[in-house]
Amino acid sequence: MMTNLRSNRNKAHLGLGALLIALCLVSWLVLLAGIAAVQKRVKDIGGQGSDSSHAVEFEWWILFFEAFVLFLAATGHFLGFRASHAAVVALLSVVTALSMLWCHNWNQIRRGNHDKRSDTVFAGFLLVSIFNSLLILVLGTIPDESDGVYRKGTNVSTAGPNRGVATPAAGATVI
């Protein structure tokens, strides 16, 4: 019974993680469309050779950093590289913080110019921030390999996940 419950929890974690990774990819596409539209608009207004071509270059960096981290999260999640998911959660936290900062910046920009392109970039950063935060929560609650849950053919020992802690023997009274 207990093994089946753990198996169902693992499947639920995997399914929820897969759903959130897919939602992160969709929000990444919204952000990609928004940044591309703003970049095109800036080039059209500023003309060639002006300094306006660098107007959204940091947003592009965040966008591709997000893609790299999502690639790491997806490969680790689907291929079972559980030993490195703490590093993926840390990188995901960094890109989420950057997304939140730029979400605030684009919220200020969109209020001033009432442009649909700015609204799209704002919505992209907002969705990326939301789904990354949820993905951090899900990936942060997946047990490590040290818990023995993900090893095939083995169960968690009778002492529980704290194998290094001395536990009383079966039938012993604890004072």
Side-chain angles (χ1 to χ4, degrees):
M1 176 70 179
M2 198 64 157
T3 306
N4 191 19
L5 181 63
R6 283 195 186 104
S7 176
N8 289 339
R9 283 186 190 157
N10 293 343
K11 288 177 186 175
H13 268 114
L14 289 174
L16 188 58
L19 174 68
L20 286 172
I21 289 172
L23 290 172
C24 285
L25 288 173
V26 168
S27 62
W28 184 85
L29 290 173
V30 170
L31 184 58
L32 174 67
I35 292 175
V38 167
Q39 181 76 32
K40 183 179 182 329
R41 177 76 174 153
V42 166
K43 282 188 178 182
D44 289 347
I45 291 173
Q48 301 293 348
S50 69
D51 197 36
S52 63
S53 63
H54 301 292
V56 290
E57 70 181 11
F58 191 68
E59 287 88 340
W60 285 109
W61 183 88
I62 294 171
L63 182 76
F64 287 110
F65 184 55
E66 167 79 14
F68 173 71
V69 173
L70 284 179
F71 172 76
L72 290 178
T75 56
H77 191 68
F78 295 122
L79 298 179
F81 300 136
R82 303 285 184 252
S84 63
H85 85 272
V88 170
V89 169
L91 288 173
L92 201 55
S93 300
V94 169
V95 77
T96 302
L98 290 171
S99 298
M100 288 179 179
L101 288 171
W102 282 94
C103 181
H104 171 73
N105 288 346
W106 279 97
N107 188 30
Q108 300 301 321
I109 291 170
R110 77 181 183 93
R111 288 182 182 177
N113 64 7
H114 306 291
D115 186 20
K116 295 291 184 191
R117 295 171 186 91
S118 300
D119 291 342
T120 306
V121 175
F122 169 72
F125 274 123
L126 183 64
L127 291 172
V128 164
S129 300
I130 290 169
F131 293 130
N132 280 356
S133 298
L134 292 174
L135 187 59
I136 289 168
L137 291 174
V138 168
L139 292 180
T141 59
I142 292 178
D144 288 335
E145 285 180 345
S146 61
D147 290 340
V149 175
Y150 286 101
R151 281 187 239 141
K152 293 184 179 185
T154 61
N155 293 327
V156 177
S157 70
T158 56
N162 300 325
R163 283 181 225 105
V165 178
T167 56
T173 57
V174 179
I175 302 175

